[in-house]
């Protein structure tokens, strides 16, 4: 999610003029405020993964399937609310939208920390997602409104880098906080959120003339929530309810009906969540389909890593975060290398390379899995391959999403891509839980994880095949 708008600001080669110290301080304060909101939302999207065993221990009798809604509910609501929240902020003012989202996110963080059971925690996570959906698109708009044209490219690159580093460090930061108490992964947001609110009220720019137009399709967003949640529930509960049970089939039927109604409304609504004109751009549709499958593999990979380290090998939360660190620290290097690789090989080829590395890392875990801890032989190769594949694939896909869109549609296209990636995370986690089931001790657990990792690797290979179609389309357009 951290790469959403890099394409919206053209690179400038002209040296920016000197600015007054007062103007420079003001811009730095705006940057810090919008980054505070962006960092909190980026961290909380990933940080809960590492807290799963601690939550299972605290909420006695809770299964991983039930706890998965602390992740899925956040991702589903964030995905569905992202585009409408951004458009509502355009109508009513980005400053007000950002501060409202920041306030809601901070309050919801306190409610998460105070949760006495899974239902309350999931409800608070839904509120967090609504706050994040209001913050993310408005943070970039406020940043662009603060900086002059010749300085915007650098500001956006810095904003993107900060969010990327936050997401990459989430497992390590989360592990350290969970070692204290899992509630600290939410309490840590309070001082930063309150400080950003107080400073933001004074320094954030106010738009002179908010945009007008029809209200966004809020019912369409509700339909996305219903459809994706029903599919996730069916996948997670299928091992318990039975794949052919009325409840599972009913959930899948609700998904189909919800999606059908969503696309019907999108074709007719004056301000839909997803404009059909964008879907008719072949490269946009193929890039988003690739992102959907790619992020499904990524979601399964990250979730499985946390479960394996803590539930099977008995690592602490901090040890789990550090186990992923070697690949995490490679991500900034690979992010810088992606640009030259894209120029040399083409964006679609780099996407396919990212898919292949991500799938290979997960496949290695499936092949090398063993009950006795052996980090170097089993986990380390995958912990190096999967983050490198993730950053290559994600970064290259961002450019392909907006490649053939008109400039006026860059922001909307990037927001739709963010939404698709979140849905992919939900699908990946749900599929992994469905395949893993509730294995018995010893060899049964090992076999269950192996099976689930092979399925996750298959999803990564499917992303590679979709990326191949994208590459062929890109070559055809170039020809």
């Amino acid at each position: 999610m951290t790469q959403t708008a890099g394409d919206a600001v053209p690179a400038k080669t002209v040296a920016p003029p000197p600015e007054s110290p007062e103007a420079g301080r003001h811009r730095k304060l705006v940057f810090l405020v919008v980054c505070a909101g962006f960092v909190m939302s980026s961290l909380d999207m990933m940080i809960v993964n590492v807290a799963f065993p601690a939550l299972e221990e605290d909420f006695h009798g809770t299964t991983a399937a039930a706890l998965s809604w602390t992740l899925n509910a956040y991702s589903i609501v964030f995905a569905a609310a992202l585009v409408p929240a951004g458009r509502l902020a355009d109508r009513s003012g980005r400053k007000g939208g950002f501060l409202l989202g920041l306030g809601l996110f901070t309050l919801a963080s306190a409610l998460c920390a105070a949760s006495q059971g899974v239902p309350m925690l999931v409800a608070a996570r839904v509120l967090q997602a609504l706050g994040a959906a209001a913050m993310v698109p408005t943070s970039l708009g406020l940043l662009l409104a603060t900086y002059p044209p010749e300085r915007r490219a650098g500001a956006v690159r810095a904003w993107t880098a900060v969010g990327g580093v936050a997401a990459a460090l989430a497992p390590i930061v989360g592990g350290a906080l969970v070692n204290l108490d899992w509630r600290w992964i939410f309490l840590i947001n309070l001082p930063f959120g309150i400080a950003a609110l107080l400073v933001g009220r004074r320094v954030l720019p106010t738009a002179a003339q908010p945009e007008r137009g029809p209200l966004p399709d809020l019912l369409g967003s509700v339909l996305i929530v219903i459809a994706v949640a029903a599919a996730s529930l069916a996948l997670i509960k299928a091992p318990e309810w039975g794949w052919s049970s009325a409840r599972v089939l009913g959930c899948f039927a609700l998904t189909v009906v919800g999606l059908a109604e969503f696309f019907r409304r999108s074709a007719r609504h004056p301000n839909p969540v997803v404009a059909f004109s964008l879907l008719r751009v072949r490269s946009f549709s193929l890039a988003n389909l690739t992102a959907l499958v790619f992020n499904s593999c990524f979601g399964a990979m990250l979730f499985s890593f946390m479960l394996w380290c803590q539930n099977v090998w008995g690592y602490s939360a901090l040890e789990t975060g550090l186990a992923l660190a070697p690949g995490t620290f490679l991500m900034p290097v690979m992010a810088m290398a992606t640009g030259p690789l894209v120029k040399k090989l083409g964006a679609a080829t780099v996407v396919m390379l990212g898919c292949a590395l991500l799938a290979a890392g997960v496949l290695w875990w499936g092949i090398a899995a063993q009950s006795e801890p052996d980090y170097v032989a089993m986990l380390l190769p995958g912990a190096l391959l999967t983050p490198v594949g993730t950053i290559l694939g994600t970064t290259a896909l961002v450019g392909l999403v907006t490649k053939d869109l008109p400039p006026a549609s860059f922001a909307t296209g990037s927001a739709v891509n963010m939404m698709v990636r979140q849905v992919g995370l939900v699908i990946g986690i749900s599929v992994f839980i469905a395949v893993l089931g509730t294995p018995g001790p010893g060899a049964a657990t090992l076999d269950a994880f192996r099976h689930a990792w092979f399925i996750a690797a298959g999803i990564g290979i499917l992303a590679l095949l979709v990326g191949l179609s994208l590459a062929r389309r890109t070559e055809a357009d170039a020809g």
Side-chain angles (χ1 to χ4, degrees), residues 47-62 67 118 121 174-175 177-186 306-307 310-311 315-318 320:
I47 205 169
V48 178
N49 282 277
V50 79
F52 257 59
L55 290 168
E56 285 182 292
E57 183 178 344
D58 205 6
F59 299 143
H60 300 292
T62 302
L67 281 173
V118 175
L121 180 57
L177 293 173
V178 171
N179 267 13
L180 299 174
D181 190 296
W182 67 263
R183 300 178 193 275
W184 276 105
I185 66 175
F186 302 111
M306 304 303 173
L307 280 185
Q310 296 185 73
N311 287 5
Y315 280 12
S316 69
L318 180 57
T320 300

Side-chain angles (χ1 to χ4, degrees), residues 33 47 164 184 263 295 414 436 451:
V33 169
I47 205 169
W184 276 105
F263 284 113
N295 266 48
S414 296
L436 185 65
H451 189 196

Side-chain angles (χ1 to χ4, degrees), residues 281-288 400-401 403-404 470 473 477:
V281 178
R282 186 77 181 277
S283 61
F284 177 81
S285 297
L286 283 173
N288 276 298
L400 286 171
V401 164
K403 180 178 75 74
D404 294 327
L470 180 61
R473 178 66 189 183
D477 291 342

Side-chain angles (χ1 to χ4, degrees), residues 108-440:
S109 296
L111 293 175
C112 286
S115 296
Q116 300 302 308
V118 175
M120 181 178 176
L121 180 57
V122 171
R125 289 281 286 167
V126 167
L127 292 179
Q128 270 194 319
L130 290 172
M135 282 194 296
V136 171
T138 51
S139 65
L140 182 62
L142 289 166
L143 198 66
L144 296 177
T146 303
Y147 283 77
E150 67 274 5
R151 296 181 183 271
R152 286 175 184 165
V156 170
R157 282 194 294 270
W159 177 84
T160 301
V162 168
V165 170
L169 292 178
I172 301 173
V173 173
L177 293 173
V178 171
N179 267 13
L180 299 174
D181 190 296
W182 67 263
R183 300 178 193 275
W184 276 105
I185 66 175
F186 302 111
L187 288 173
I188 195 68
N189 292 329
L190 302 188
F192 294 103
I194 293 170
L197 278 169
L198 294 176
V199 177
R201 288 184 60 190
R202 293 192 300 106
V203 303
L204 293 180
T206 303
Q209 185 67 44
E211 298 177 13
R212 295 301 174 200
L215 285 169
D217 184 13
L218 300 181
L219 180 55
S221 295
V222 173
L223 289 169
I224 290 179
V225 171
I226 292 172
V228 178
S232 179
L233 180 62
L235 289 169
I236 289 171
K237 286 292 189 179
E240 176 185 342
W241 291 348
W243 286 95
S244 60
S245 68
R247 286 182 287 185
V248 168
L249 295 178
C251 286
F252 282 132
L254 184 58
T255 297
V256 173
V257 171
L259 289 176
E261 179 61 16
F262 168 75
F263 284 113
R264 187 193 70 82
R265 287 185 62 83
S266 295
R268 299 181 180 183
H269 199 279
N271 195 356
V273 176
V274 179
F276 267 40
S277 58
L278 295 181
L279 297 179
R280 284 192 284 268
V281 178
R282 186 77 181 277
S283 61
F284 177 81
S285 297
L286 283 173
N288 276 298
L289 179 59
T290 306
L292 176 72
V293 184
F294 182 85
N295 266 48
S296 296
C297 183
F298 171 75
M301 178 277 297
L302 186 61
F303 182 74
S304 69
F305 188 91
M306 304 303 173
L307 280 185
W308 174 268
C309 286
Q310 296 185 73
N311 287 5
V312 181
W313 278 4
Y315 280 12
S316 69
L318 180 57
E319 287 172 330
T320 300
L322 291 174
L324 199 58
T328 297
F329 293 138
L330 279 177
M331 293 178 80
V333 177
M334 295 311 302
M336 290 186 290
T338 301
L341 277 175
V342 167
K343 289 180 181 178
K344 184 176 182 179
L345 304 175
T349 301
V350 174
V351 167
M352 293 168 60
L353 177 61
C355 293
L357 291 175
L358 179 60
V362 176
L363 183 61
W364 176 266
W365 290 338
I367 294 171
Q370 56 186 39
S371 300
E372 292 299 318
D374 188 344
Y375 176 73
V376 173
M378 182 204 157
L379 282 187
L380 182 59
L384 292 172
L385 290 171
T386 54
V388 171
T390 298
I391 200 68
L392 286 176
T394 302
T395 306
L397 273 169
V398 169
L400 286 171
V401 164
T402 55
K403 180 178 75 74
D404 294 327
L405 296 182
S409 298
F410 280 174
T412 301
S414 296
V416 170
N417 181 245
M418 260 200 257
M419 179 180 71
V420 167
R421 297 206 314 262
Q422 294 306 308
V423 172
L425 290 177
V426 173
I427 293 172
I429 292 170
S430 301
V431 168
F432 191 88
I433 290 174
V435 177
L436 185 65
T438 308

